[in-house]
């Protein structure tokens, strides 16, 4: 009964975001992920199994990234095409700056569908090297920096649900406290956010 309730709730949550099959798929995927998580936890209670924290993190990240595709796609067919491209079903592209630098394996890669394109050049980052630098910087922020649960670890009572489940930070000064220093920092971030607004941004859910 719990599993049915979870799936129905997530499907309804998908419809709440938008009236379309892509949103139903998005909600259904998240419901499936939750059921998988509950099943795994139940299995661990009976048979102690450990596959490593990194592997668990990797599976979660891949699942979340894949499930956001139907949320953004215009149709189910479009979502399937994007997912196929993400795993190389339409061939694999490398930045044109690598052309001629891969030695003897380059001809083999080309014969197996590899193409060289200006894939990293765009208006936001410009040259490929800046794009790659920005990409790795964002990866480091996402993987090394503390998450919101860790930053707000001292806050009570809203995060009681996660007590003993979230690893405390090694550097406790990064945890939020109701102090003047934190107030100033948050104020600066708020001001930078306001100044950075170049044009009005319509609330996301107005389009649904």
């Amino acid at each position: 009964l719990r599993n049915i309730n979870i799936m129905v709730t997530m499907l309804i949550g998908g419809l709440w975001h938008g009236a379309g099959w892509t949103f139903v798929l998005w909600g259904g995927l998240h419901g499936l992920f939750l059921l998988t998580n509950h099943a795994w936890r139940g299995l661990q209670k009976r048979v102690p199994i450990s596959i490593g924290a990194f592997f668990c993190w990797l599976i979660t990240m891949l699942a979340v990234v894949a499930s956001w595709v139907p949320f953004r796609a215009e149709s189910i067919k479009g979502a399937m095409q994007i997912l196929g491209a993400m795993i190389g079903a339409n061939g694999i592209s490398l930045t044109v700056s690598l052309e001629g630098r891969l030695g003897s394996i380059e001809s083999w890669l080309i014969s197996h569908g590899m193409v060289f394109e200006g894939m990293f050049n765009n208006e936001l980052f410009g040259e490929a090297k800046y794009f790659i630098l920005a990409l790795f910087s964002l990866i480091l922020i996402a993987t090394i920096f503390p998450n919101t649960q860790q930053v707000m670890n001292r806050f009570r009572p809203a995060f009681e649900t996660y007590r003993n489940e979230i690893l405390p930070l090694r550097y406790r000064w990064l945890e939020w406290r109701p102090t003047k220093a934190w107030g100033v920092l948050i104020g600066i971030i708020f001001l930078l956010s306001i100044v950075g607004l170049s044009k009005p941004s319509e609330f996301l859910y107005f389009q649904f």
Side-chain angles (χ1 to χ4, degrees):
L1 181 60
R2 182 191 68 173
N3 292 343
I4 294 176
N5 290 339
I6 289 175
M7 183 58 73
V8 170
T9 300
M10 296 309 297
L11 289 173
I12 294 175
L15 282 173
W16 181 85
H17 283 82
W21 288 113
T22 53
F23 295 102
V24 174
L25 176 59
W26 175 78
L29 285 172
H30 279 78
L32 180 63
F33 297 155
L34 287 172
L35 296 185
T36 303
N37 177 264
H38 289 312
W40 175 255
R41 287 175 177 265
L43 178 63
Q44 283 186 313
K45 291 179 180 179
R46 295 191 298 271
V47 182
I49 302 175
S50 177
I51 60 175
F54 174 78
F55 190 65
C56 292
W57 172 85
L58 182 61
I59 293 176
T60 302
M61 287 296 297
L62 290 175
V64 171
V65 169
S67 63
W68 277 110
V69 171
F71 186 90
R72 181 63 182 85
E74 297 294 333
S75 64
I76 297 292
K77 182 179 179 180
M80 295 301 102
Q81 291 175 340
I82 295 173
L83 289 171
M86 289 169 63
I87 62 174
N90 302 327
I92 301 176
S93 300
L94 287 180
T95 176
V96 70
S97 61
L98 293 177
E99 190 172 7
R101 300 182 181 183
L102 300 178
S104 58
I105 67 170
E106 184 168 316
S107 58
W108 182 87
L109 290 173
I110 294 175
S111 66
H112 285 77
M114 181 74 69
V115 295
F116 295 95
E117 298 177 329
M119 56 185 298
F120 290 136
N121 296 322
N122 53 66
E123 296 180 359
L124 181 60
F125 295 105
E127 298 180 16
K129 58 184 178 181
Y130 298 118
F131 177 88
I132 295 174
L133 177 61
L135 179 63
F136 277 98
S137 298
L138 292 173
I139 291 174
L140 289 176
I141 291 173
T143 55
I144 297 178
F145 279 46
N147 58 44
T148 55
Q149 307 297 319
Q150 291 173 311
V151 172
M152 302 301 295
N153 186 51
R154 293 175 179 268
F155 188 76
R156 299 290 184 269
F159 292 157
E160 290 292 320
T161 304
Y162 302 101
R163 182 183 285 267
N164 300 324
E165 292 187 23
I166 299 175
L167 295 176
L169 295 173
R170 172 183 291 183
Y171 306 105
R172 306 302 296 273
W173 58 270
L174 288 174
E175 293 180 351
W176 176 86
R177 295 184 182 88
T179 61
K180 292 181 180 179
W182 269 102
V184 171
L185 177 61
I186 294 174
I188 292 174
I189 294 174
F190 175 76
L191 289 175
L192 291 175
S193 300
I194 297 298
V195 173
L197 291 175
S198 58
K199 61 181 180 179
S201 179
E202 188 178 67
F203 183 52
L204 173 64
Y205 294 108
F206 284 166
Q207 62 181 298
F208 300 131

